[in-house]
């Protein structure tokens, strides 16, 4: 690439615009240099002789504005121009046309250029103003696009949240429910963690917390599908291993990669009392009373999709006292790494929960998540050096109201 770089004397380097001129005619290149010198634009000028060289200069970050001759040998036709403008992306483009080619300038603007100038009909101030406004319009367009993208992500988050984190469906059951969720990083799309609570016609209350492997929109969509599938199957009367076999079939049909799997834990509060737990490769649960918090890990089967078609998932009654609340969670709650490199772990998590005393349900959930992710450094566990979690966290808290 032949490059001749000239700067306007006396201009401050820090605020100088970078202009790349793509022009194969040396006389016209000299004209643009003179226009730049005659104006008040704080800019540097890099001259290249082809569209290919201009593309490389832009890719190397050398341009805030590209001044482009429409008759370069390697840029023939408005179709080629439109493709070229897409390739230069964030750089503002001002095209230069001949005296008898104004229509081409308008077509270039319609194809994506910010403005056009007619050779021989431009003065220094006009050139400077055109370049300056072209850069400003490009920046304003990028800001508007970024705002639109942010709004779209917010809308996607809201839609995913409705799918992954629904409102508990309870009618008459005396069950208090508190929920908590944190994505893996601030502002991130929701991951594949999900939960749900539903009361069936017989008065039993069923709950689930699940976690799809991986992060991203595909995992979130799969988690939402599993959550909806779980609620539908429960309402249709499926329970225990039978429910999980059908849920695994749904996962196999919907997953994008053969490596994707999901873990989950289900709980049932029969209307007459008691508690049963079914686990598919998922962590255990916490049982919380006013006196203490204990970790319970009933027998479990494999994660859904890990060994398709051969899994068995026992439904086990749990030694559950009426005054105890059930706390279900995903592994992001205890996979936090300490400063020494070791995990927070289930045992430390249990101790952490045990320090929260008689906090109300929702405050308990929120505080437990915050402490596990080092968001409340004033707590003794926080001072011990807990680092932030790299995984999503979902927590579901259930307790019979009569026993609160």
């Amino acid at each position: 690439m032949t490059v001749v770089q000239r700067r306007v004397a006396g201009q401050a380097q820090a605020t100088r615009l970078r202009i790349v001129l793509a022009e194969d005619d040396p006389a016209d290149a000299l004209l643009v240099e003179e226009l730049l010198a005659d104006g008040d634009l704080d800019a540097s000028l890099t001259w290249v002789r082809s569209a290919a060289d201009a593309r490389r200069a832009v890719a190397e970050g050398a341009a805030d504005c590209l001044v482009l001759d429409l008759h370069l040998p390697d840029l023939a036709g408005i179709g080629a121009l439109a493709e070229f403008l897409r390739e230069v992306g964030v750089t503002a483009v001002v095209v230069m046309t001949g005296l008898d080619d104004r229509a081409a300038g308008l077509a270039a603007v319609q194809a994506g250029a910010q403005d056009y100038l007619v050779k021989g009909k431009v003065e220094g101030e006009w050139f400077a103003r055109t370049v300056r406004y072209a850069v400003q319009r490009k920046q304003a367009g990028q800001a508007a696009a970024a705002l639109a993208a942010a709004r779209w992500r917010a809308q996607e988050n809201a839609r995913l949240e409705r799918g992954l984190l629904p409102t508990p469906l309870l009618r008459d059951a005396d069950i208090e429910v508190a929920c908590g969720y944190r994505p893996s990083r601030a502002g991130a799309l929701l991951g594949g963690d999900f939960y749900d609570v539903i009361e069936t016609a017989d008065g039993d209350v069923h709950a689930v917390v699940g976690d799809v492997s991986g992060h991203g929109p595909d995992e979130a969509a799969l988690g939402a599908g599993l959550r909806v599938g779980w609620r539908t199957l429960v309402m249709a009367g499926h329970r225990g291993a039978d429910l999980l076999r059908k849920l695994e079939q749904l996962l196999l049909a919907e997953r994008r990669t053969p490596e994707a799997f999901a873990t989950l834990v289900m709980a049932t509060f029969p209307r007459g009392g008691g508690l049963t737990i079914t686990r598919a490769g998922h962590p255990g649960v916490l049982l919380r009373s006013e006196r203490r918090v204990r970790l319970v890990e009933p027998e479990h089967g494999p994660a859904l999709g890990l060994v398709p078609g051969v899994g068995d998932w026992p439904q086990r009654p749990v030694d559950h006292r009426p005054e105890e609340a059930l706390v279900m969670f995903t592994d992001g709650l205890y996979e936090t790494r300490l400063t020494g490199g070791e995990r927070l772990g289930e045992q430390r998590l249990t101790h952490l929960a045990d320090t929260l005393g008689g906090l109300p349900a929702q405050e308990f959930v929120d505080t437990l998540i915050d402490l596990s992710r080092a968001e409340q450094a004033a707590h003794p566990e926080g001072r011990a050096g807990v680092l932030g979690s790299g995984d999503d966290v979902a927590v579901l808290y259930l307790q019979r109201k009569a026993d609160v």
Side-chain angles (χ1 to χ4, degrees):
M1 177 173 64
T2 301
V3 176
V4 177
Q5 188 173 62
R6 305 178 187 274
R7 288 188 172 86
V8 180
Q11 302 289 337
Q13 182 72 26
T15 60
R16 179 170 290 134
L17 286 179
R18 298 162 301 168
I19 300 175
V20 170
L21 170 64
E23 173 60 71
D24 62 335
D25 187 332
D28 285 339
L30 180 60
L31 174 64
V32 171
E33 181 181 350
E34 291 174 348
L35 289 172
L36 186 57
D38 290 342
D40 63 351
L41 187 63
D42 186 1
S44 65
L45 180 65
T46 299
W47 174 32
V48 298
R49 297 173 181 265
S50 68
D53 287 345
R55 189 182 295 110
R56 282 191 288 272
V58 169
E60 292 168 0
D64 298 303
C65 182
L66 172 63
V67 178
L68 178 69
D69 177 18
L70 278 184
H71 297 290
L72 293 173
D74 57 344
L75 192 67
I78 197 67
L81 174 64
E83 176 63 26
F84 176 83
L85 292 175
R86 284 192 291 271
E87 291 175 357
V88 299
V90 299
T91 300
V93 176
V94 175
V95 299
M96 299 284 286
T97 73
L99 288 174
D100 58 349
D101 210 10
R102 289 181 174 85
L106 291 172
V109 171
Q110 291 173 350
Q114 275 60 59
D115 210 335
Y116 77 97
L117 293 169
V118 179
K119 295 178 182 179
K121 294 291 184 179
V122 184
E123 296 179 355
E125 290 301 320
W126 189 358
F127 177 84
R129 185 170 60 250
T130 299
V131 170
R132 188 181 296 114
Y133 288 173
V135 172
Q136 291 173 353
R137 280 195 293 272
K138 188 67 176 182
Q139 292 173 346
Q142 291 171 318
L147 179 59
R151 288 173 176 168
W152 179 84
R153 286 193 296 270
Q155 292 168 355
E156 285 296 293
N157 266 339
R159 283 192 288 269
L160 287 171
E161 185 172 354
R162 288 194 297 270
L164 291 163
L165 317 173
T167 301
L169 186 58
L170 299 174
R171 298 187 308 274
D172 302 319
D174 290 329
I175 296 286
E176 178 183 16
V177 178
C179 313
Y181 179 85
R182 298 287 194 283
S184 59
R185 57 193 184 279
L189 282 173
L190 298 176
D193 290 16
F194 60 92
Y195 59 71
D196 202 357
V197 181
I198 181 172
E199 178 187 359
T200 48
D202 57 8
D204 293 352
V205 173
H206 307 269
V208 65
V209 168
D211 183 1
V212 175
S213 61
H215 302 279
D218 288 342
E219 290 74 15
L222 181 56
L226 292 176
R227 200 282 305 167
V228 172
W230 178 86
R231 178 177 282 202
T232 302
L233 289 167
V234 169
M235 293 178 70
H238 297 278
R239 303 288 184 268
D242 173 58
L243 188 160
L244 290 180
R245 278 189 288 270
K246 289 179 169 55
L247 208 58
E248 184 176 62
Q249 292 174 4
L250 175 61
L251 181 146
L252 297 177
E254 295 295 330
R255 67 184 180 181
R256 294 293 185 92
T257 65
E259 295 81 19
F261 64 90
T263 69
L264 59 82
V265 56
M266 301 188 302
T268 298
F269 286 87
R271 185 173 185 177
L275 173 65
T276 63
I277 298 291
T278 307
R279 293 197 295 153
H282 202 81
V285 299
L286 298 178
L287 294 177
R288 180 198 186 212
S289 68
E290 292 184 356
R291 296 186 301 276
R292 65 167 181 155
V293 175
R294 58 192 179 104
L295 177 67
V296 177
E297 300 177 291
E299 181 183 0
H300 66 90
L304 304 185
L306 206 57
V307 284
V310 300
D312 188 27
W313 299 275
Q315 187 175 19
R316 294 290 184 252
V318 172
D319 177 19
H320 172 252
R321 292 186 288 275
E323 71 274 11
E324 288 182 310
L326 170 67
V327 184
M328 306 161 69
F329 50 88
T330 54
D331 61 5
L333 193 63
Y334 65 84
E335 289 290 350
T336 302
R337 294 285 173 176
L338 305 180
T339 50
E342 72 274 19
R343 296 186 313 159
L344 177 64
E346 294 100 319
Q347 296 302 323
R348 281 194 182 95
L349 174 67
T350 303
H351 172 70
L352 189 62
D354 203 31
T355 67
L356 300 182
L359 289 179
Q362 191 61 59
E363 188 176 353
F364 171 86
V365 169
D366 293 339
T367 304
L368 183 62
I369 295 174
D370 288 344
L371 290 179
S372 76
R373 304 186 72 170
E375 294 179 5
Q376 293 186 6
H379 190 277
E381 289 289 336
R383 289 197 300 269
V386 181
L387 301 176
S389 172
D391 202 358
D392 309 303
V393 176
V395 179
L396 192 59
Y397 182 110
L398 301 99
Q399 185 170 22
R400 294 186 182 275
K401 292 180 181 178
D403 301 316
V404 176

